């Protein structure tokens, strides 16, 4: 079953604690998966939601969100006509900076299986993607860039990581809050380790 919707459940990753209310297309399926919302049952991924970008650039006016805009984008789903399993997702986008300077040009932004090194877009594969985003900085940064359709390319730091990982991992309010606490504590601990390591190294060489 495919369900196409307008406003996805869950939270807006650019505004902590803000219920998600983006004007985007959501595709939910029992054998369909995405980077952005993962639905689990007893710890196992059973379904996910594809949150597609819009062709109209949207710059949020939410308090506390700085420059939450995106480039226009469209998403093409490649799927198995027999099983309806989503095999791959390809996103094309219009770089507004380039368009304003030299003229409009639509180009491929990324192919899911290539960028995140998974065999398909099944819930199991997308769970692997989420775990890589949560644990490997290179995948986190790649996901962050794609999240704004290559508009916001600044570094995604520890707090940014917590917001994006928890928004993708949890749609239940209580579990989302617990994720923020757990992942936030992990980020603080990692930061303290770096400070202590630097202090020890500095003391050793002096």
């Amino acid at each position: 079953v495919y369900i196409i919707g307008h406003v996805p459940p869950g939270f807006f990753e650019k505004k902590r604690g803000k219920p998600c209310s983006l004007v985007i297309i959501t595709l939910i399926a029992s054998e369909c998966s995405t980077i952005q919302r993962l639905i689990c049952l007893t710890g196992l991924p059973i379904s996910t939601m594809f949150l597609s970008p819009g062709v109209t650039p949207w710059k949020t006016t939410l308090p506390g969100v700085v420059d939450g805009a995106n480039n226009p984008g469209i998403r093409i789903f490649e799927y198995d006509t027999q099983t309806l399993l989503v095999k791959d997702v390809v996103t094309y986008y219009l770089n507004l900076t380039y368009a304003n300077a030299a003229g409009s040009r639509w180009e491929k932004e990324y192919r899911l299986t290539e960028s995140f090194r998974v065999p398909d877009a099944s819930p199991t594969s997308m769970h692997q993607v989420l775990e890589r985003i949560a644990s490997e900085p290179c995948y986190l940064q790649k996901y962050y860039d794609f999240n704004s359709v290559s508009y916001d390319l600044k570094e995604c730091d520890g707090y940014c990581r917590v917001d994006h990982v928890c928004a993708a991992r949890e749609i239940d309010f209580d579990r989302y809050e617990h994720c923020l606490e757990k992942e936030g504590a992990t980020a603080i601990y990692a930061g303290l380790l770096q400070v202590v390591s630097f202090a020890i190294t500095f003391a050793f060489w002096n």
Side-chain angles (χ1 to χ4, degrees):
V1 176
Y2 282 179
I3 301 176
I4 299 176
H6 185 64
V7 179
F11 293 86
F12 184 25
E13 61 274 6
K14 295 183 180 179
K15 177 63 175 177
R16 186 171 296 189
K18 171 70 177 177
C20 192
S21 57
L22 298 176
V23 181
I24 47 182
I25 297 173
T26 305
L27 176 62
I28 312 170
S30 59
E31 291 186 300
C32 173
S33 190
T34 188
I35 302 172
Q36 299 215 19
R37 297 284 186 270
L38 188 65
I39 302 174
C40 294
L41 182 64
T42 63
L44 299 176
I46 59 170
S47 179
T48 47
M49 287 176 265
F50 287 95
L51 307 189
S52 298
V55 294
T56 302
W58 176 72
K59 193 166 186 177
T60 180
T61 56
L62 287 174
V65 180
V66 179
D67 200 17
N70 61 272
N71 280 313
I74 59 174
R75 185 163 287 165
I76 295 177
F77 296 90
E78 299 176 358
Y79 65 97
D80 188 309
T81 57
Q82 299 298 316
T83 65
L84 298 184
L85 173 69
V86 177
K87 299 166 64 176
D88 213 342
V89 181
V90 186
T91 301
Y92 294 87
Y93 80 115
L94 176 67
N95 187 319
L96 290 179
T97 302
Y98 180 87
N100 290 331
S104 60
R105 181 184 66 186
W106 284 87
E107 55 190 308
K108 186 176 81 171
E109 184 185 26
Y110 73 100
R111 176 177 285 274
L112 175 68
T113 54
E114 293 175 352
S115 294
F116 292 97
R117 298 187 177 184
V118 287
D120 52 36
S122 67
T124 299
S125 291
M126 297 313 300
H127 182 69
Q128 294 175 4
V129 171
L130 178 56
E131 292 308 307
R132 288 173 183 169
I133 291 170
S135 61
E136 300 182 41
C138 62
Y139 284 107
L140 171 66
Q141 188 61 47
K142 186 179 294 188
Y143 167 73
Y144 181 79
D145 294 346
F146 293 157
N147 182 261
S148 65
V149 199
S150 296
Y151 176 82
D152 182 0
L153 303 179
K154 67 175 180 289
E155 181 183 359
C156 185
D157 59 18
Y159 293 102
C160 165
R161 171 193 168 277
V162 172
D163 289 340
H164 282 267
V165 168
C166 289
R169 184 175 283 162
E170 306 294 351
I171 59 173
D172 176 80
F173 282 35
D174 292 337
R175 292 176 64 89
Y176 171 76
E177 291 295 337
H178 178 70
C179 179
L180 290 179
E181 294 174 3
K182 178 183 176 182
E183 295 294 338
T186 300
I188 293 173
Y189 179 70
L192 288 175
L193 281 181
Q194 291 180 347
V195 172
V196 171
S197 176
F198 175 79
I200 293 174
T201 302
F202 182 79
F204 176 80
W205 287 107
N206 288 275

